[in-house]
Amino acid sequence: MENGATPARTAPAAVIVAIDGPSGTGKSSTSKAVAAQLGLDYLDTGAQYRAMTWWMINNGVDVSDAAAVATAAGKPVLVSGTDPAAPAITVDGADASGPIRTQAVTSKVSAVSAVPEVRTVVTGLQRSIAAAAEKGIVVEGRDIGTTVLPDADVKIFLTASPEARAARRSGELKGKEATDVAATKDALAKRDAADSGRKTSPLAKADDAVEVDTTDLTLQQVIECVVTLVEEKRAAR
């Protein structure tokens, strides 16, 4: 997979779908639903960076020290499930699906994911998973269409207004993790700045990606839009 090229698939109906965009745009819900509807595998790349961050925190690595993070990047063993109905991720054999969603991880994942050595490890893992997806796969993240799988068959970039994104994210948080919309909006803005400003594989829309503004769309409308784009691509083969 030299130069980041997407690996060739043998199944004629197999398609690689890259769905990028910031938090709160409906990316995960859309990606899982599209994969399930079309019979494709599914990969949440953000969960992999969260898992890496969770491992760093649990193993006493100072995530503000890029050199320390870089040294440790190759140590954890991440295994991602690709079933859209029940996506799972383990770290060194332990289920990390719940722990990686805590605020402690959320607040540090941008710093960890900005370290080039971390991105090299995780990107390699993502490409190998895509290469093994005989039915095709929906891969969601922030740099899939630009860096990880630049030759993806279909590229989507989801956007939404800051207010809509904050409201959605606040609704996803529960119990002690819950925050008001204003605080969530501020947190999202900081995350956007960090992800878009990093030197290695920043959050960005690929030149050939279809941009979909989800602000005034229902989840079902977004799903239908993406499914249509994928089916058109399949039909054109």
Side-chain angles (χ1 to χ4, degrees):
M1 276 165 282
E2 296 180 1
N3 302 319
T6 302
R9 278 86 65 203
T10 55
V15 287
I16 287 184
V17 183
I19 300 184
D20 290 306
S23 299
T25 56
K27 190 171 55 182
S28 291
S29 298
T30 298
S31 298
K32 284 184 280 193
V34 168
Q37 188 168 325
L38 295 175
L40 305 176
D41 287 341
Y42 160 77
L43 178 62
D44 176 1
T45 63
Q48 295 175 316
Y49 285 107
R50 284 177 172 273
M52 184 73 80
T53 303
W54 178 66
W55 185 93
M56 297 280 177
I57 294 171
N58 280 0
N59 285 274
V61 178
D62 180 359
V63 298
S64 65
D65 183 346
V69 171
T71 299
K75 295 180 180 179
V77 178
L78 310 182
V79 178
S80 297
T82 57
D83 180 356
I89 186 163
T90 63
V91 182
D92 295 341
D95 179 17
S97 301
I100 65 172
R101 301 297 173 182
T102 62
Q103 184 57 37
V105 171
T106 299
S107 65
K108 295 177 173 62
V109 67
S110 285
V112 172
S113 62
V115 177
E117 288 80 0
V118 169
R119 301 205 75 83
T120 296
V121 169
V122 179
T123 295
L125 180 59
Q126 292 161 3
R127 288 176 179 158
S128 67
I129 291 171
E134 295 182 359
K135 299 177 294 183
I137 190 169
V138 177
V139 184
E140 64 149 300
R142 285 169 165 73
D143 66 338
I144 310 306
T146 55
T147 301
V148 180
L149 300 168
D151 296 331
D153 300 296
V154 179
K155 299 181 186 180
I156 311 290
F157 191 86
L158 299 183
T159 63
S161 71
E163 293 74 19
R165 292 173 56 207
R168 289 168 183 165
R169 286 292 290 135
S170 293
E172 293 171 1
L173 300 174
K174 300 176 182 178
K176 294 180 180 179
E177 299 290 315
T179 56
D180 60 55
V181 175
T184 302
K185 182 179 176 182
D186 181 59
L188 288 175
K190 291 179 179 177
R191 176 81 188 273
D192 288 351
D195 289 350
S196 301
R198 65 175 177 246
K199 293 181 179 179
T200 305
S201 301
L203 164 66
K205 173 181 174 288
D207 291 339
D208 54 347
V210 176
E211 184 169 330
V212 179
D213 188 333
T214 69
T215 304
D216 298 316
L217 300 178
T218 65
L219 174 59
Q220 191 55 43
Q221 287 174 322
V222 179
I223 293 167
E224 289 173 359
C225 174
V226 176
V227 166
T228 297
L229 289 168
V230 176
E231 289 182 331
E232 287 176 349
K233 182 66 177 184
R234 277 177 162 175
R237 289 185 166 186

